[in-house]
């Protein structure tokens, strides 16, 4: 048998190319031969994605220093400083995505370095912050203008600003020096009034909704636009749809503090007809702010008539996301399903008035839904779920807190052969429904049963039988009184390779459960199995003894850990952080505010996006578009 050092270098490089970054680092620590091979491979590393982990410049030098061929860099720059900017920029760099980059973008020199060291950039995403001095701000504006002029290959631009950085000066620069190659633009934290300055448009107010005088600018080549702003209005819709007639994706999110005087109405919705090539439409009003007197924020001037008028155009729509349309009923929503034959993603957010009539007679519709999301639609019952079960291509179904969905709906879903993600949080299901699910052949990867209070130990353990243990990777059992140590041990004994396990508010969980999880194997080795996310928040049954189980080598793949608040102490927090610097520890009573739970892991989302072209974030869809265009 050959020794490892006798293997050809080409073979070792091929093996390294099949692994992710975390596995590469572990492999490099195994022996000197693999460490040397890793050093050689890092000089040819084409992609570096570390958005979830902030590393200092000293650690990044191994990945970037001497690598002149890298094409994509996505980093959390929280631990980087002004002088580290040039480390990230390479001559062949195509994509640069930086978050928490205040110490970089607050200095004009960084923008100068971008155009000098990375002139071939096609994708640029930055967080912009207010500089300390007015003189620095003016210098940044000037350097930013020069950078945009020189980046002639730029396809995607994303800017997230705070304070003065997003005033009229920056917008006028974008409108005058916009690269002709720009196809996608995303801006976070922008005022509706500044949009007109961005596009250099003049608007003539009219009481009878006459079309305003619009001057077309260099932005006519834009195909995708995403804005997070204060208010979505008729004016905004008219400006965007009349100027950007080639739009294929329109993504707007607002969250007004008070009820806006000029709000979106049926007339504004009707303007979408100007974009005949539109494939993605997302209009969402945030609900984080209350307007007082029991009023929740919503689009109150849009009703079924607006959606009926919109449904007469844009026949190529594939993705529709609507949120906060409180006056829209089943009539308008069903019209969307009937009139868009290519519709594959249908999401309704914060629309509690949605009922079973929206999905009446789904067999007669021509659309082939792949993703359906109906969170907190209290009027949805098992009848609607039975209708959705006729969509044979369905892969993702979110019925979180649809409290009238019961066993009959779950039994209908068990016949779907492609369903991978199912969220039944708060549903009125029993053990009988889970037994039906366990007998199915669906390739279920992620399942949420949070707050399903009627379940018992027998129903939960039924999931360990059949084919589900071979596919399930993400489980949410939060706030289930029936979950005990024995329940968790049944899943461990089934050999299920869990990546994400949430046991928040499961008061019967004790130290024995955590010890059992730490004993799990992955590929015949390692303590803690494949777990990357483990949530034990608010579990009063666990003691300080479990903290020793989170020391190395246990839970080697862990990335996020939620612990009960009674275990928190400054000494203990420091000790855990020193031993596991790559793990994010949370002691909050409501971890959802600190950790963004995503029921669909990025791995599965990427796979579905390449396969069906939908279900991706704005960034990912732009990446896919650029890839397809070569």
């Amino acid at each position: 048998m050959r020794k490892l050092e006798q293997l050809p270098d080409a073979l070792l490089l091929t093996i390294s190319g099949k692994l992710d970054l975390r596995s590469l680092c572990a492999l490099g620590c195994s022996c000197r031969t693999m460490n040397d091979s890793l050093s050689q491979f890092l000089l040819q590393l084409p992609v570096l994605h570390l958005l979830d982990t902030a590393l200092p410049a000293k650690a990044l030098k191994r990945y970037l220093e001497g690598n002149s061929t890298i094409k994509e860099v996505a980093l959390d720059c929280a631990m980087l400083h002004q002088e580290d900017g040039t480390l990230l920029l390479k001559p062949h760099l195509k994509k640069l995505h930086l978050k928490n980059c205040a110490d970089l973008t607050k200095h004009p020199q960084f923008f100068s370095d971008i155009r000098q060291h990375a002139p071939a950039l096609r994708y640029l995403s930055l967080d912009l912050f207010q500089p300390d001095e007015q003189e620095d701000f003016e210098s940044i504006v000037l350097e930013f203008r020069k950078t945009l002029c020189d980046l002639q290959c730029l396809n995607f631009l994303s800017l997230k600003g705070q304070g003065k950085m997003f005033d009229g000066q920056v917008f006028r620069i974008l409108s005058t020096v916009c690269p002709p190659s720009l196809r996608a633009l995303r801006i976070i934290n922008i005022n509706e009034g500044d949009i007109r300055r961005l596009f250099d448009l003049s608007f003539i107010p009219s009481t009878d909704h006459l079309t305003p005088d619009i001057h077309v600018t260099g932005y006519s080549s834009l195909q995708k636009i995403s804005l997070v702003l204060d208010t979505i209005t008729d004016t905004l819709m008219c400006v965007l749809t009349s100027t950007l007639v080639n739009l294929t994706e329109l993504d707007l999110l607002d969250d007004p503090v008070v009820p806006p005087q000029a709000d979106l109405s049926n007339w504004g919705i009707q303007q979408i007809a100007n974009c005949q090539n539109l494939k993605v439409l997302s209009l969402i009003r945030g609900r984080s702010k209350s307007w007082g007197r029991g009023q929740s924020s919503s689009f109150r001037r849009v009703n079924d008539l607006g959606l009926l008028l919109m449904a007469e155009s844009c026949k190529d729509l594939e993705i529709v996301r609507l949120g906060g349309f409180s006056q829209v009923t089943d009539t308008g929503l069903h019209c969307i399903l009937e009139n868009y034959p290519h519709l594959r993603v249908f999401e309704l957010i914060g629309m509690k008035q949605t009922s079973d009539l929206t999905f009446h007679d789904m067999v007669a519709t021509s659309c082939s839904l792949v993703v359906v999301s109906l969170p907190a639609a209290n009027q949805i019952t098992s009848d609607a779920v039975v209708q959705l079960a006729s969509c044979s291509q369905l892969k993702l179904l979110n019925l979180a807190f649809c409290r009238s969905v019961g066993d009959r709906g779950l039994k209908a879903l068990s016949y779907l052969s492609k369903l991978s993600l199912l969220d039944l949080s708060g549903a009125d299901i029993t053990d009988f429904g889970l037994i039906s699910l366990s007998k199915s052949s669906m390739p279920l990867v992620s399942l949420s049963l949070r707050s399903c209070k009627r379940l018992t130990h027998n129903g939960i353990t039924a999931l360990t039988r059949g084919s589900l243990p071979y596919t399930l990777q993400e489980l949410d059992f939060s706030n289930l009184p029936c979950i005990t140590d024995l329940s968790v041990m049944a899943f461990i004994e089934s050999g299920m390779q869990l990546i994400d396990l949430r046991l928040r508010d499961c008061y019967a969980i004790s130290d024995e459960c955590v010890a059992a999880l730490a004993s799990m194997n992955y590929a015949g080795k390692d303590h803690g199995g494949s777990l990357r996310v483990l949530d034990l928040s608010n579990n009063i049954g666990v003691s300080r003894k479990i903290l020793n189980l989170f020391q190395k080598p246990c839970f080697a793949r862990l990335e996020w850990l939620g612990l009960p608040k009674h275990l928190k102490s400054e000494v203990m927090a420091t000790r855990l952080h020193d031993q596991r610097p790559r793990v994010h520890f949370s002691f909050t009573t409501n971890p959802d505010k600190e950790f963004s739970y995503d029921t669909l892991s990025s791995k599965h989302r990427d796979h579905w996006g390449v396969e069906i072209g939908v279900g991706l974030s704005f960034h990912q869809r732009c990446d896919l578009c650029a890839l397809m265009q070569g």
Side-chain angles (χ1 to χ4, degrees):
M1 181 180 294
R2 283 191 173 187
K3 295 182 179 179
L4 192 59
E5 56 268 18
Q6 294 177 332
L7 294 176
D9 292 340
L11 178 58
L12 294 177
L13 289 175
T14 301
I15 295 173
S16 300
K18 303 291 185 181
L19 304 176
D20 58 21
L21 195 58
R22 179 182 290 268
S23 300
L24 279 173
C25 294
L27 185 63
C29 298
S30 61
C31 65
R32 182 175 299 177
T33 301
M34 291 309 303
N35 186 58
D36 294 340
S37 176
L38 178 61
S39 300
Q40 186 179 355
F41 176 76
L42 291 178
L43 296 177
Q44 306 173 24
L45 190 69
V47 176
L48 180 62
H49 285 180
L50 288 173
L51 286 174
D52 297 329
T53 305
L55 296 180
K58 183 178 180 180
L60 286 174
K61 283 183 179 180
R62 187 176 186 188
Y63 303 112
L64 296 172
E65 198 170 51
N67 187 342
S68 60
T69 61
I70 194 166
K71 294 184 178 180
E72 295 186 14
V73 172
L75 293 177
D76 184 338
C77 301
M79 300 181 69
L80 299 183
H81 305 289
Q82 176 188 359
E83 61 273 11
D84 302 324
T86 54
L87 177 65
L88 312 176
L89 305 173
K90 302 295 178 180
H92 298 287
L93 195 65
K94 303 295 183 184
K95 175 179 177 178
L96 182 63
H97 183 183
L98 305 180
K99 73 174 185 179
N100 299 326
C101 50
D103 285 341
L104 298 178
T105 58
K106 286 170 67 173
H107 302 282
Q109 183 61 38
F110 178 68
F111 295 96
S112 176
D113 291 338
I114 288 178
R115 68 173 185 272
Q116 292 178 15
H117 300 290
L121 272 180
R122 295 185 179 182
Y123 182 114
L124 179 62
S125 178
L126 298 174
D127 293 350
L128 302 180
F129 291 81
Q130 176 64 30
D132 299 327
E133 302 292 340
Q134 175 65 24
E135 182 178 349
D136 289 339
F137 174 72
E138 295 174 355
S139 300
I140 288 175
V141 171
L142 179 61
E143 292 298 333
F144 186 53
R145 177 190 178 92
K146 293 179 180 178
T147 300
L148 287 180
C149 287
D150 290 346
L151 297 180
Q152 293 301 311
C153 298
L154 194 64
N155 297 139
F156 176 92
L157 178 63
S158 175
L159 301 174
K160 180 180 179 181
Q162 293 183 358
K164 202 173 182 179
M165 176 56 72
F166 271 76
D167 70 355
Q169 295 184 55
V170 174
F171 294 129
R172 282 193 290 272
I173 286 175
L174 286 173
S175 62
T176 56
V177 299
C178 174
S181 60
L182 194 65
R183 296 292 180 268
L185 176 65
R186 177 176 176 85
I187 300 179
I188 301 175
N189 298 339
I190 181 174
N191 294 321
E192 187 270 345
D194 290 330
I195 291 291
R196 280 176 272 149
R197 276 180 288 196
L198 171 61
F199 292 97
D200 193 22
L201 302 170
S202 61
F203 175 70
I204 303 176
S206 175
T207 56
D208 57 351
H209 286 157
L210 294 176
T211 304
D213 183 16
I214 293 179
H215 306 282
V216 180
T217 68
Y219 282 97
S220 57
S221 62
L222 272 180
Q223 296 177 358
K224 305 173 188 290
I225 187 165
S226 178
L227 303 173
V228 179
L229 65 165
D230 56 344
T231 308
I232 301 173
T233 65
D234 286 346
T235 304
L236 176 68
M237 294 298 293
C238 184
V239 163
L240 294 177
T241 58
S242 300
T243 307
L244 310 175
V245 292
N246 295 320
L247 273 185
T248 60
E249 179 169 342
L250 178 60
D251 183 358
L252 302 178
L253 170 65
D254 74 351
D255 197 359
V257 179
V258 296
Q261 294 182 351
D263 202 0
L264 183 66
S265 69
N266 290 337
W267 184 83
I269 291 290
Q270 191 177 0
Q271 302 310 302
I272 297 174
N274 295 325
C275 303
Q276 292 296 322
N277 300 322
L278 201 64
K279 293 186 177 181
V280 179
L281 175 63
S282 179
L283 297 175
I284 299 175
R285 171 149 289 174
R287 303 172 66 86
S288 64
K289 302 178 178 67
S290 175
W291 290 347
R293 296 183 180 179
Q295 302 182 53
S296 59
S297 56
S298 63
F299 296 107
R300 300 189 175 186
R301 300 179 187 177
V302 179
N303 54 33
D304 292 336
L305 178 60
L307 295 190
L308 291 172
L309 294 173
M310 182 188 75
E312 297 299 323
S313 59
C314 306
K315 295 297 185 179
D316 292 331
L317 269 177
E318 298 179 3
I319 301 176
V320 172
R321 295 189 182 97
L322 301 176
F325 289 85
S326 60
Q327 303 303 312
V328 173
T329 67
D330 300 311
T331 302
L333 297 175
H334 186 71
C335 183
I336 292 177
L337 297 174
E338 281 188 326
N339 287 272
Y340 295 136
H342 304 294
L343 190 66
R344 312 187 82 174
V345 175
F346 189 52
E347 298 186 26
L348 303 177
I349 302 169
M351 298 178 63
K352 297 182 179 180
Q353 71 279 12
T354 307
S355 73
D356 297 342
L357 293 176
T358 298
F359 303 97
H360 175 68
D361 199 13
M362 284 295 296
V363 178
T365 62
S366 56
C367 63
S368 181
L369 293 176
V370 178
V371 176
V372 176
S373 182
L374 307 168
N378 294 329
Q379 299 185 43
I380 292 291
T381 70
S382 295
D383 291 335
V385 179
V386 171
Q387 291 292 329
L388 287 171
S390 64
C391 302
S392 60
Q393 302 300 314
L394 198 62
K395 294 187 176 182
L396 184 154
L397 182 57
N398 181 3
L399 298 173
F401 299 100
C402 296
R403 301 187 185 278
S404 298
V405 173
D407 294 337
R408 188 165 66 90
L410 195 53
K411 184 176 181 180
L413 293 177
S414 64
Y415 295 103
L416 292 173
S417 60
K418 296 185 178 181
L419 192 64
S420 297
L421 184 146
L422 180 59
D423 193 336
L424 295 169
S425 301
D428 188 35
I429 58 175
T430 66
D431 295 347
F432 177 77
L434 289 189
I435 292 173
S436 300
L437 192 66
S438 66
K439 296 178 181 179
S440 70
S441 59
M442 66 174 65
L444 203 60
V445 174
S446 178
L447 176 64
S448 176
L449 300 174
R450 179 188 301 194
S451 301
C452 295
K453 299 296 182 65
R454 297 182 65 188
L455 296 176
T456 69
H457 171 79
N458 293 333
I460 292 294
T461 54
L463 297 174
T464 62
R465 298 188 288 270
S467 62
L468 290 180
Y470 300 101
T471 59
L472 273 176
Q473 297 179 3
E474 302 172 5
L475 289 173
D476 188 352
F477 292 151
S478 300
N479 198 21
L480 290 184
C482 64
I483 290 293
T484 63
D485 295 344
L486 292 177
S487 306
V488 177
M489 290 178 184
F491 284 90
I492 297 174
E493 292 172 357
S494 71
M496 194 177 295
Q497 296 297 325
L498 293 174
I499 294 177
D500 189 331
L501 180 61
R502 310 171 200 176
L503 301 172
R504 184 194 321 172
D505 298 311
C506 296
Y507 302 118
I509 294 295
S510 69
D511 296 352
E512 292 184 12
C513 171
V514 183
L517 290 172
S519 67
M520 288 194 304
N521 292 328
Y522 176 73
K525 55 183 179 180
D526 291 344
H527 301 285
S530 53
L531 273 178
R532 295 183 181 178
V533 174
L534 178 60
D535 190 357
L536 300 171
S537 304
N538 303 337
N539 289 342
I540 59 177
V542 297
S543 67
R544 290 185 178 275
K545 295 179 181 179
I546 68 166
L547 297 177
N548 294 325
L549 297 174
F550 295 106
Q551 300 179 20
K552 293 181 179 180
C554 296
F555 296 102
R557 290 168 175 77
L558 200 63
E559 298 175 1
W560 192 92
L561 175 63
L563 293 171
K565 194 173 183 179
H566 70 268
L567 300 184
K568 183 178 181 180
S569 69
E570 184 175 349
V571 175
M572 188 58 63
T574 303
R575 176 183 163 193
L576 288 173
H577 180 73
D578 291 343
Q579 293 181 352
R580 306 294 293 273
R582 303 284 179 89
V583 179
H584 178 80
F585 294 94
S586 171
F587 293 90
T588 60
T589 56
N590 185 5
D592 281 344
K593 292 184 178 180
E594 184 175 344
F595 178 74
S596 178
Y597 279 130
D598 190 352
T599 52
L600 177 60
S601 69
S602 59
K603 176 182 177 182
H604 303 135
R605 188 190 299 112
D606 291 342
H607 171 70
W608 290 350
V610 172
E611 181 181 350
I612 65 177
V614 295
L616 296 174
S617 67
F618 184 80
H619 286 321
Q620 291 166 326
R621 284 194 293 271
C622 293
D623 286 347
L624 182 59
C625 181
L627 179 63
M628 295 174 66
Q629 293 177 354

